[in-house]
Amino acid sequence: MTADPLERYADHLTAVRIEQAVHSVTIGYRLTLTDAPPVKVTSWHNEPILERYTVRIHAGSDELVLTVAEWGSRTEEIGPFLRQWITDRAHLERSKLRKGCRRPDPYWVAAWRRAHPWT
């Protein structure tokens, strides 16, 4: 039995919102910091081995997978959760604030300052 087309469409739109929330966090991370540990995002439409409507995040050797089933009704929680998840894994001691960043992400500036209390 196949899923209802409207249900599939709703899942697709929810997955897009999840992906947007993830990219909002990771783009802010990359634009604000330089020489920071890499955080890699892979989406279902770019990686055929991923389950449909899944977003995978790698930070160091750790992996986080976000699915519509788990996060679809809580997309507003993804930003705070993911920021903390990355903060717990990405040690920012060797990173720098990116010069010329017009709108640095306040969360990553604060995280960098916590990692560099002497500055």
Side-chain angles (χ1 to χ4, degrees), residues 73-84:
S73 63
R74 310 181 296 143
T75 56
E76 70 283 347
E77 297 174 28
I78 292 172
F81 175 81
L82 186 55
R83 283 183 183 92
Q84 187 60 54

Side-chain angles (χ1 to χ4, degrees), residues 6-46:
L6 289 177
E7 185 178 317
R8 286 195 327 251
Y9 186 64
D11 286 348
H12 177 80
L13 292 178
T14 300
V16 168
R17 284 195 305 275
I18 290 170
E19 190 175 14
Q20 288 170 339
V22 168
H23 284 299
S24 175
V25 171
T26 57
I27 289 170
Y29 176 83
R30 288 186 199 107
L31 290 177
T32 303
L33 303 170
T34 186
D35 298 328
V39 175
K40 183 180 176 189
V41 177
T42 308
S43 299
W44 77 94
H45 49 82
N46 293 328

